[in-house]
Amino acid sequence: MRVVILEPPAWAWETPGASLARGLAVPRITFGDLVRDHLHQGTGLGMRTREILDSGGPFPDELRAAIVRDRLCRAAAAGFLLAHHPFTAAQALTLDELLHELGTPLDAVVHLRFPGAELERHVRREAARRALVSGPACSHEPAVGTPRAEGSCDACGDDLHQRQADEESAVRNHVSRYEAMVEPVTRHYAERDLLVTVDVVGAPEETAARALTTLRQRTR
């Protein structure tokens, strides 16, 4: 299958997308990984990306499209799960045109959505997991639902602190901004009868299992 997944930010470790890709037996392609590969290999696209990153300028849609094209021209026919792209309706349209050119259109677009109560639980869990020790020697992960920006690590006794960007309000605002940003993308794919909306409830693998069931039902 060829699937785009729209998954909210701020998963500390495993994401539903990673589990879903395994269930579909297709590679999970993330835009960030594609960028890092080009930077590491020093390709032409990598050098252009480096120039953008060094200048602090906006990442142009044309360059995003070229990076995605480079990968999908080698993978689209075999199936994929594409994450972290597209982020705008214009990027979605460009992706549609590329896949039409390749003769490999999307089978579905999975939109993972937090119900209200689950969003609160997720925010608290992620904020808790990002409580950091002052030193580099210990990896600290407090219990789910017990964020601690102060105090000491249960494992090493070092002081805990929390970055401002990882506070509950910041994580919640990050998710809210993401949902507002991808709304035109979900509308674009809903109009093409490709959108599948799955509530994020429970562990990542549980959400992935529900998404997998829904996708299989669509293709029967």
Side-chain angles (χ1 to χ4, degrees), residues 60-138:
D61 281 358
E62 174 268 333
L63 182 53
R64 287 186 68 99
I67 290 171
V68 172
R69 170 183 282 273
D70 176 75
R71 182 65 173 88
L72 293 188
C73 282
R74 295 180 278 112
F80 58 83
L81 182 77
L82 178 62
H84 309 160
H85 184 87
F87 277 145
T88 69
Q91 292 170 8
L93 182 59
T94 299
L95 178 62
D96 291 347
E97 292 170 347
L98 167 62
L99 293 174
H100 176 75
E101 173 189 330
L102 297 175
T104 53
L106 288 173
D107 294 298
V109 174
V110 176
H111 176 215
L112 301 185
R113 178 184 61 188
F114 284 117
E118 191 66 20
L119 173 59
E120 292 300 314
R121 190 191 72 83
H122 179 79
V123 165
R124 288 180 177 274
R125 181 187 65 194
E126 295 305 312
R129 283 181 170 170
R130 285 180 168 82
L132 305 173
V133 295
S134 299
C138 176

Side-chain angles (χ1 to χ4, degrees), residues 33-64:
D33 286 345
L34 298 182
V35 169
R36 284 184 284 273
D37 286 346
H38 281 286
L39 289 171
H40 178 72
Q41 295 171 19
T43 65
L45 291 173
M47 288 187 286
R48 291 175 58 193
T49 298
R50 176 60 66 191
E51 291 174 358
I52 296 294
L53 296 177
D54 289 346
S55 70
F59 209 97
D61 281 358
E62 174 268 333
L63 182 53
R64 287 186 68 99

